[in-house]
Amino acid sequence: MKKIRFYKSIHVKIVIIYVLLILIAMQVIGVYFTKQLEDQLVDNFRSTLNERAELVAYNVEQEMTRDEEEEDRSLQLRINDLLNQLFNMDNAEVQVIDQNQVIVTATANHDNYVGQRTTNYRVMRTLAGSDDEAEVFRNRTTGDRMQVLAVPVESEDDSIVGAIYIEASMQEIYNQIQEINQILLTGTIIALLLTAGLGVFLSRTITRPIVDMKTQAVVMGEGDYSRKVRVYGHDEIGQLASTFNELSNKLEEAHATTEGERRKLASVLTHMTDGVIATDRHGKIILMNRRAEEMLDQSQEIAMNSEIMKILNLDKFMRLNDLYGMNDPILLDFDSDEEETILEAHFSVIEKENGQENGLIAVLHDVTEQEKVEEERREFVANVSHELRTPLTSMKSYLEALSDGALEDPEIAPRFIQVTSNETERMIRLVNDLLQLSKMDSKDYQIIMASMNATTFVNQVIDRFEMTTKNQDIQFKRRIPEKSIPVMGDRDKLTQLLDNIVSNAVKYSPEGGTITCTLKTEKERIVISVKDEGVGIPKDNIPHVFDRFYRVDKARSRNLGGTGLGLAIAKEIVAAHGGSIWVSSEWGKGTTFSFTLPYDLNEEGDGE
């Protein structure tokens, strides 16, 4: 499993959440507290300034309306004393202006304006009787916030006899607020540090069992269900850990059951004699057993996700939807130059619980041998029917002719009777061959093994054929050693075997042709070969010459009296003796049949 980066860890996320919550809370509290504190301090400052301004205005009015002749001091001195007694605000400057806009007196920083006419528009508005509200502005020199206020000095008859102009610095208030903000910032930092530490501790209590469960999930994914998650408490996470352990036990049981079923299914699919292919609903192959791979000559890795229509060569004349409604099997021809293969495919639909079609199962049967047997059976019936029909028809014609009066003709009657006799013998040969093959198939066939001289045996068979083929201008060439070669075998069966091979060579040899008979010895066997100079056998027909009822040239074989069973009988005789038989041929140059027999090293042979 890919390792989680540090900044993506839930441990870090929990700590960040805790820190952000505290930070947001402190910021909200700080902003609200600071704003409320600032508003409160400013209101208090403004109220204090207004009260003192009104007090000063009232006393200044008393001094301005007092009779100057009774006073021994000037108005300026009296008002200065008044300001020193009543207006003791720090960082505040006061000017007292009479009704003629002349500055009567001022605090220390503004005493150079005394005796001058003021041009301050606030003072002028106040003297004119307009109400003036306090205003805050910044001092261009110091940059401090200043509260500016102009208050009228009214006499008892409500006439305005002067004005009080005040500039009071509010910077102390904002300095206090700045200090409070600094305190809040420090408290916030301390709270964040404590919260981060607490978040690390708390997050570990949450993430530790989660990490343990993650590890358990990874181990379970690898197939190990023995490990258990530690239960740290009885809270929701503890209950989750307990449930996780129960889930692990149930998964282990389910996995064991599933694995057992999978092995059974895999064993069944592997050892099935039929091929099985499974597809999804789009016809893509998702499963193929070993037998199907052998039948189709394609591995599962290559065929996976391929379309079954293309794999089975059905895409040229069918659609996938046609297979969903297919009830009857389909024969598939996979013939190649090397071998013939015919498969029978049965299709069934895979359905979900709701009845929705989810794919196909194709079961493939190799019916090549069945088709071959069926073809051989049909050919056998045709051959036997033809072989029997021809002589029976001929016999019927000749017998009818004899019954119609040809029997009385001394010249025609013997010839007709001879033809009838030949056709009868031909039918007898066919029936005897069929009976002999039937005995071989049913194992009701006895081989009497005895030691015999192969040299004498082969020479006797060739001598007999030389006598019967004198009129056919066929030459026999012998390559047979003169010494005695002992072999084990049944003389009668081996005679029939060699007769079939030599008679075929005689039948297909041209006039003036040569038949070469060879006998040679090897380590533990002898090899007997018969070669003719006939037309030969086409390369495609060579693998089938030992099949029953098989004829290379069917018309010529029948004309020559063959039944198509001679070489099949020869193959069975050789196999019964523990030998082998084969053929080699080149079209237009002749054919060579060879077979082997066990070489008897303990006997001298019978010398016949």
Side-chain angles (χ1 to χ4, degrees), residues 429-458:
R429 287 197 304 272
L430 176 61
V431 172
N432 287 337
D433 287 345
L434 292 173
L435 289 174
Q436 186 173 359
L437 283 173
S438 177
K439 288 182 179 181
M440 291 179 178
D441 291 337
S442 63
K443 307 301 179 183
D444 185 16
Y445 191 68
Q446 295 181 353
I447 299 292
I448 302 174
M449 302 294 287
S451 181
M452 55 184 290
N453 187 351
T455 304
T456 303
F457 166 71
V458 175

Side-chain angles (χ1 to χ4, degrees), residues 398-414 416-417:
Y398 282 105
L399 289 174
E400 288 177 351
L402 290 173
S403 64
D404 290 340
L407 183 62
E408 305 298 333
D409 190 334
E411 295 182 359
I412 298 177
F416 281 14
I417 293 173

Side-chain angles (χ1 to χ4, degrees), residues 383 387 429-430 432-434 436-437 440 445 493-505 507-508 544-551 557 561-575 581 593 595:
N383 287 335
E387 293 293 339
R429 287 197 304 272
L430 176 61
N432 287 337
D433 287 345
L434 292 173
Q436 186 173 359
L437 283 173
M440 291 179 178
Y445 191 68
K493 303 300 185 293
L494 293 178
T495 301
Q496 182 182 5
L497 163 65
L498 192 55
D499 280 352
N500 283 337
I501 294 176
V502 176
S503 64
N504 278 342
K507 289 177 185 178
Y508 293 100
H544 305 287
V545 295
F546 295 104
D547 295 344
R548 298 178 185 184
F549 317 113
Y550 187 82
R551 304 170 188 265
S557 297
T563 63
L565 299 174
L567 291 178
I569 294 174
K571 181 180 179 181
E572 296 292 342
I573 293 174
V574 170
I581 186 170
F593 282 90
F595 64 92

Side-chain angles (χ1 to χ4, degrees), residues 231-243:
V231 180
Y232 291 91
H234 300 288
D235 55 2
E236 289 83 355
I237 295 180
Q239 292 178 357
L240 177 61
S242 300
T243 306

